[in-house]
Amino acid sequence: MMQCLSASPRANLIVKPRLLRHLSLILLFLLLVLGCGYAGYHISDRNGIRALAENGERQLELNARAVESEITKYTYLPSLLELEGNVSRLALSPTAYRRHHVNVYLQGLNERAGSLAIYVLDPDGRVIATSNWDKADSYLGEDLSFRAYYQEAIKGRPGRLYGLGSTTGEPGYYLAHGLRDGDRIIGVAVVKVRLDTLEERWQRALLDAYVSDENGVIILASDPMVRLKTVRPLDDATKERLARSLQYHWAALEELQLFNRSLMDDGIERVSFATGGVPTDYLLQTRRLEHTPWHLTLLSPLQEQRSAAMSHAMLAAVVTALLAFLLIAWNERRKVIATRLAAREALQAANDELERKITERTADLQASNERLQAEVRERKQAETTLRQAQDELVQAGKLAVIGQMSTSIAHELNQPLAALRTLSGNAVRFLQRGALDVASSNLQNIGELVDRMGKITASLRAFARRTGDNGEASLLKAVDAATMLLQPRLQRTSMTIHRDFAEARLAIEQIRLEQILVNLISNALDAMREQVDRQLWLSGSADANGYQLEVRDNGPGIAPETRVHLFEPFFTTKPGEQGLGLGLTLSASLAAAAGGSLTVRHPDEGGTAFILSLPYPPEPNT
Ligand code: ADP
């Protein structure tokens, strides 16, 4: 819990810079995308405007030429009338006949030339003949002396004017020429042509263009809404003059509402104005028309170019975002690959290190193995030597013991001899009494005892001869034989023997087992000699390794200082001739020769217990 609490602020500290880094990366990414989008827009806009301007320049040139040729197409026409004698004659002395004649002539000429009207004025500015003489709105007799073109032409200068007809209000381009008779101007010939075909042509070509005249009034325009608007503000005097001249009929001559007018770096003018209510941005390019004080203005809408720039901006932003994503993905992949490589290298290094260690350890192990093997060889050698020495020692010990054996034999044979003495004495007495049966049974026992004594001597011989034991004994028989042997002593010194074992077959010679039991039981009898209550327990138990017979008495036990010497030869605590100190040594060596052992136990409740462990005889092969 404490760890968790102390770990969390540190975790926050770790998380925060990472979060900040991510946030700043996202911000950078957005800035980059926006920046590239903006740059894309800017570049595309500039290039688009330049292309639009170049295109506009060409269009302007082309259309200016078209307008110029349209205007100049008729310039010669009024001067042609000077060559027509009837016209001059009418101007000099007008008659009805001549008027009619000239009217018809002008009508025909007008039709062929495709102009709006052709008419002739007298020097006072009154119409004396006209192509539309038979129309309702005929100019005939009209006083047009107020018209500027008349005023110019009467002075011998070419009269040029774009205006709206004073009678019809119909727009047209007036070309006037003073008709000369020698040095005198006898009249003025006027041709009114239409220029609105230009407008139609512009509309068809979807061009936004207009022509403004010397007053700054738009006289021709692709958009009818801007027609007769002024491109610059007119002062009151000019307005009054124009109103008087009826040049533009009764038109209000409002100023064209241009706003956001700005001049760009490369001299291109940008403007926005509302034609249909919505302000639209245009490139504005103007060119003066040759032979006239007029200007042709071309308006190129920036709308399409703007949306193209916008698309380019979006494209640039998307491409940048894509590239950035690719870059991030590539970077991530590079990191993953680098991590993998590092991990692989680390693994390889660890592997190499492991292999090196394994080789080292193997070498070490081999070396220590060899050392161990050498040691094992040495040990084996030492063991063999030791065993030999031990065997020799045992042998030597035994030989030394043999020297003492005569006493031992006497000891071993003492019991049967005592029994023999009693049995034979009894046999004699029974024979004297004539109890032949008992006497013969005694004699039979005597015979058995003699056999036994023979066996004892044989076993002692065997002990000296260092032989193994591969006999087989019956436990029950051995116990019976041992008690029988000790019978004379038991009669003198009574002892309760508790038998707590079942019959068992053991891998030891019968006589040797009896010898061991006689030794153990007689030792118990010796130990308990001084006490009244004498008990002996013979209890057997079996396990997988063999059979254990415990011989326990309730005697005084063995003093701790004597315990360590028990199995030493010639160790005895018995006084005088009573003990040889060979009983336990002999018994232990007989048990060992049979593959078993003899051990001692000192029970807490008192007394002494000897445990005789013996193996079972091998299973007979069937
Ligand atoms: P010995 O009987 O000739 O003395 P043993 O080798 O049989 O030789 O016994 C050695 C000694 O062990 C005895 O002198 C005796 O002190 C002691 N001893 C053997 N058995 C017992 C026993 N059941 N209780 C007490 N002491 C014993």
Side-chain angles (χ1 to χ4, degrees):
M1 190 65 191
M2 284 304 287
Q3 257 181 342
C4 281
L5 283 173
S6 62
S8 69
R10 209 179 309 148
N12 272 349
L13 282 177
I14 296 164
V15 166
K16 268 183 186 163
R18 196 180 297 168
L19 196 75
L20 270 176
R21 203 159 61 90
H22 277 160
L23 277 176
S24 54
L25 269 177
I26 290 170
L27 208 69
L28 192 74
F29 173 76
L30 285 176
L31 279 175
L32 190 74
V33 168
L34 286 176
C36 286
Y38 178 75
Y41 180 83
H42 195 68
I43 292 167
S44 170
D45 192 46
R46 262 201 24 204
N47 290 344
I49 286 178
R50 200 171 298 140
L52 205 66
E54 278 169 19
N55 188 42
E57 209 60 54
R58 276 197 299 280
Q59 290 280 358
L60 190 69
E61 190 59 33
L62 221 65
N63 284 285
R65 293 271 167 79
V67 177
E68 281 163 8
S69 77
E70 196 66 30
I71 296 167
T72 51
K73 202 159 79 178
Y74 296 98
T75 44
Y76 66 94
L77 197 55
S79 59
L80 274 186
L81 295 184
E82 214 171 40
L83 305 174
E84 178 55 47
N86 282 334
V87 175
S88 306
R89 277 193 285 279
L90 177 70
L92 286 171
S93 52
T95 62
Y97 171 76
R98 282 181 183 158
R99 187 186 311 271
H100 180 72
H101 199 77
V102 171
N103 273 344
V104 173
Y105 170 73
L106 290 178
Q107 190 175 20
L109 189 64
N110 185 48
E111 272 167 22
R112 283 182 206 168
S115 49
L116 278 176
I118 303 176
Y119 47 99
V120 180
L121 311 177
D122 65 9
D124 299 329
R126 200 171 291 277
V127 179
I128 50 172
T130 172
S131 59
N132 58 9
W133 61 277
D134 56 346
K135 302 275 163 44
D137 53 357
S138 166
Y139 301 159
L140 214 56
E142 225 174 282
D143 179 6
L144 298 175
S145 57
F146 62 94
R147 289 291 207 178
Y149 58 82
Y150 159 77
Q151 287 164 9
E152 288 294 315
I154 204 71
K155 289 173 190 155
R157 291 198 291 265
R160 302 275 183 271
L161 180 90
Y162 184 87
L164 274 63
S166 52
T167 331
T168 56
E170 189 183 32
Y173 183 46
Y174 298 86
L175 300 126
H177 178 81
L179 298 171
R180 291 176 185 272
D181 181 30
D183 291 339
R184 204 161 54 97
I185 290 174
I186 53 166
V188 170
V190 182
V191 178
K192 182 182 181 183
V193 294
R194 55 188 308 165
L195 291 178
D196 47 2
T197 49
L198 282 169
E199 291 179 334
E200 284 163 21
R201 213 182 295 160
W202 293 339
Q203 281 164 0
R204 272 202 304 276
L206 298 173
L207 268 184
D208 275 324
Y210 60 76
V211 172
S212 52
D213 67 4
E214 63 279 10
N215 299 316
V217 177
I218 296 171
I219 50 173
L220 295 170
S222 53
D223 179 4
M225 299 287 283
V226 304
R227 207 178 290 142
L228 294 178
K229 295 231 160 96
T230 64
V231 292
R232 54 175 186 267
L234 297 181
D235 56 44
D236 290 344
T238 317
K239 270 189 186 167
E240 205 185 316
R241 179 173 60 81
L242 292 176
R244 248 193 325 223
S245 74
L246 277 183
Q247 185 176 345
Y248 308 106
H249 212 233
W250 300 108
L253 298 180
E254 285 165 359
E255 195 187 339
L256 184 65
Q257 288 299 316
L258 298 173
F259 34 92
N260 293 339
R261 202 164 175 162
S262 62
L263 205 62
M264 296 191 333
D265 305 343
D266 29 15
I268 305 163
E269 200 172 3
R270 270 168 90 156
V271 74
S272 72
F273 71 92
T275 42
V278 192
T280 319
D281 289 347
Y282 293 94
L283 273 191
L284 189 141
Q285 287 162 301
T286 301
R287 182 188 180 286
R288 199 196 153 117
L289 296 169
E290 300 269 338
H291 314 299
T292 65
W294 298 355
H295 286 87
L296 173 68
T297 301
L298 186 74
L299 294 164
S300 314
L302 288 169
Q303 195 61 42
E304 274 180 28
Q305 179 272 329
R306 284 259 168 84
S307 35
M310 206 50 133
S311 311
H312 289 154
M314 299 256 284
L315 195 70
V318 166
V319 167
T320 310
L322 208 70
L323 280 176
F325 275 127
L326 279 175
L327 199 72
I328 290 166
W330 174 79
N331 193 35
E332 286 302 312
R333 192 170 154 65
R334 192 183 57 79
K335 272 194 212 160
V336 166
I337 289 172
T339 317
R340 258 190 225 159
L341 269 178
R344 198 179 293 165
E345 273 169 20
L347 197 71
Q348 188 61 43
N351 219 15
D352 291 350
E353 179 65 16
L354 198 71
E355 266 177 22
R356 193 183 60 73
K357 277 189 180 162
I358 286 172
T359 322
E360 257 178 37
R361 296 272 156 88
T362 313
D364 282 358
L365 275 175
Q366 258 173 353
S368 56
N369 200 21
E370 276 163 18
R371 264 202 313 280
L372 273 176
Q373 274 179 348
E375 238 170 80
V376 165
R377 274 197 302 276
E378 270 173 34
R379 293 266 161 94
K380 269 188 183 159
Q381 185 63 39
E383 201 185 304
T384 325
T385 320
L386 196 71
R387 189 162 294 143
Q388 275 172 1
Q390 200 180 18
D391 284 358
E392 275 156 23
L393 263 177
V394 168
Q395 189 62 16
K398 277 183 182 171
L399 286 172
V401 166
I402 293 287
Q404 318 285 330
M405 268 307 173
S406 47
T407 337
S408 167
I409 292 161
H411 168 80
E412 288 295 328
L413 297 180
N414 250 353
Q415 319 292 341
L417 275 175
L420 271 179
R421 196 178 302 121
T422 319
L423 280 173
S424 59
N426 286 352
V428 171
R429 271 197 299 280
F430 285 129
L431 278 173
Q432 284 167 352
R433 275 185 224 154
L436 291 177
D437 284 357
V438 187
S440 95
S441 135
N442 272 13
L443 284 172
Q444 201 176 339
N445 282 344
I446 289 167
E448 279 173 12
L449 279 172
V450 170
D451 280 357
R452 185 184 149 69
M453 285 162 75
K455 278 178 186 170
I456 287 170
T457 49
S459 86
L460 282 170
R461 206 169 53 242
F463 173 69
R465 236 191 277 133
R466 196 208 303 201
T467 50
D469 185 348
N470 44 15
E472 192 176 319
S474 149
L475 179 64
L476 213 58
K477 265 192 192 167
V479 172
D480 283 344
T483 45
M484 206 273 282
L485 260 176
L486 293 168
Q487 204 57 46
R489 285 189 66 189
L490 287 170
Q491 275 168 2
R492 283 197 305 277
T493 327
S494 68
M495 179 172 77
T496 319
I497 298 176
H498 305 273
R499 287 170 172 242
D500 182 18
F501 63 90
E503 162 64 327
R505 307 291 306 169
L506 303 172
I508 186 168
E509 272 179 29
Q510 185 72 37
I511 193 72
R512 292 186 175 188
L513 181 57
E514 287 167 19
Q515 254 178 293
I516 296 168
L517 289 173
V518 165
N519 279 334
L520 295 178
I521 297 168
S522 67
N523 271 351
L525 268 172
D526 287 341
M528 296 189 291
R529 190 180 313 158
E530 304 298 326
Q531 64 195 61
V532 185
D533 175 32
R534 300 182 198 95
Q535 309 273 349
L536 188 79
W537 291 271
L538 298 172
S539 22
S541 65
D543 67 17
N545 297 323
Y547 190 89
Q548 277 97 38
L549 181 75
E550 192 183 67
V551 181
R552 182 165 69 86
D553 59 51
N554 64 339
I558 304 168
E561 61 273 15
T562 42
R563 284 176 189 172
V564 284
H565 305 295
L566 276 185
F567 293 95
E568 286 173 9
F570 309 114
F571 173 80
T572 180
T573 57
K574 293 168 191 171
E577 289 296 305
Q578 281 179 34
L580 281 173
L582 276 172
L584 287 179
T585 318
L586 208 61
S587 302
S589 103
L590 289 175
S597 65
L598 181 67
T599 52
V600 68
R601 185 168 76 85
H602 309 284
D604 294 337
E605 62 269 25
T608 310
F610 284 94
I611 298 134
L612 173 66
S613 301
L614 285 169
Y616 293 117
E619 290 287 320
N621 290 336
T622 51

